[in-house]
Amino acid sequence: MSTDAIVLLKEDHKEMRRLFKAFQEAEDGPASRRGKIVTQIIEALTVHTYLENEVMYPEVRKLVPDVEDDILESYEEHHVADVLCLELHAMDADDERFVAKTTVLIENVLHHVEEEEQEWFPKVREALGRNQLQEIGQRMLDVRPTAPKTPTAPKALKKARDAVVA
């Protein structure tokens, strides 16, 4: 398994796309099915955004000044996703706004993923050597087991609070 930070993040993106597709396929089915898929989406996004915010973004921000604006925008996009995840986490899957809110979350995350993969990942790969990306990736792997899995976990709430107060 690769420890390259960009490869690891793209693997997360691939899993999120799979979950988004599963949700879209279940959109007209039972609310319980949609709810289970959204729970998986929330967990995947909570872990992923935590790893990026705590490991990838600070390191890249230090080492690759050319992507400073991209990273600041990414922090804000994560904040929007965090708020939507928190709201969805508290909602019943049969709420009339559940599908609409999940659709907005999916659209926002796909936009964010596209920007990362097309715009700033190539800049980061060019600026950092293979060893640096592997070191960052290893730190992400080390942190993953203790990353929050729900938006109400203390570390996730701190991340959300910091986005507003910072």
Side-chain angles (χ1 to χ4, degrees), residues 12-159:
D12 282 358
H13 293 171
K14 185 176 174 183
E15 174 63 10
M16 281 183 262
R17 286 185 187 103
R18 186 192 66 74
L19 290 169
F20 295 163
K21 184 174 189 254
F23 175 80
Q24 289 161 340
E25 290 170 354
E27 215 170 294
D28 295 325
S32 60
R33 176 77 181 124
R34 288 192 303 271
K36 287 178 184 172
I37 295 167
V38 168
T39 297
Q40 293 174 310
I41 289 170
I42 290 169
E43 181 176 329
L45 282 171
T46 302
V47 170
H48 179 79
T49 61
Y50 182 81
L51 294 175
E52 284 188 327
N53 285 11
E54 297 297 317
V55 180
M56 182 71 168
Y57 291 174
E59 194 66 26
V60 170
R61 195 173 180 193
K62 246 187 334 195
L63 298 170
V64 190
D66 288 352
V67 296
E68 172 83 11
D69 291 341
D70 296 312
I71 290 176
L72 292 174
E73 183 179 330
S74 290
Y75 278 128
E76 297 307 317
E77 289 170 345
H78 281 189
H79 178 64
V80 170
D82 291 342
V83 169
L84 290 168
C85 285
L86 194 55
E87 291 174 358
L88 283 164
H89 183 72
M91 287 177 92
D92 289 326
D94 58 359
D95 185 295
E96 71 177 356
R97 296 175 310 144
F98 190 82
V99 170
K101 193 174 292 286
T102 304
T103 300
V104 170
L105 173 66
I106 289 169
E107 289 170 353
N108 276 280
V109 170
L110 289 174
H111 166 80
H112 170 75
V113 165
E114 182 76 17
E115 283 185 342
E116 276 188 343
E117 290 185 357
Q118 301 304 315
E119 295 175 24
W120 74 269
F121 280 1
K123 292 177 193 173
V124 170
R125 182 163 301 289
E126 186 176 320
L128 300 181
R130 182 172 180 226
N131 288 341
Q132 284 178 304
L133 285 170
Q134 288 179 332
E135 288 170 13
I136 295 168
Q138 187 58 56
R139 282 198 298 280
M140 287 170 35
L141 289 172
D142 293 343
V143 170
R144 184 177 288 272
T146 61
K149 291 180 177 38
T150 67
T152 55
K155 288 179 184 177
L157 289 172
K158 180 189 178 308
K159 178 174 63 100

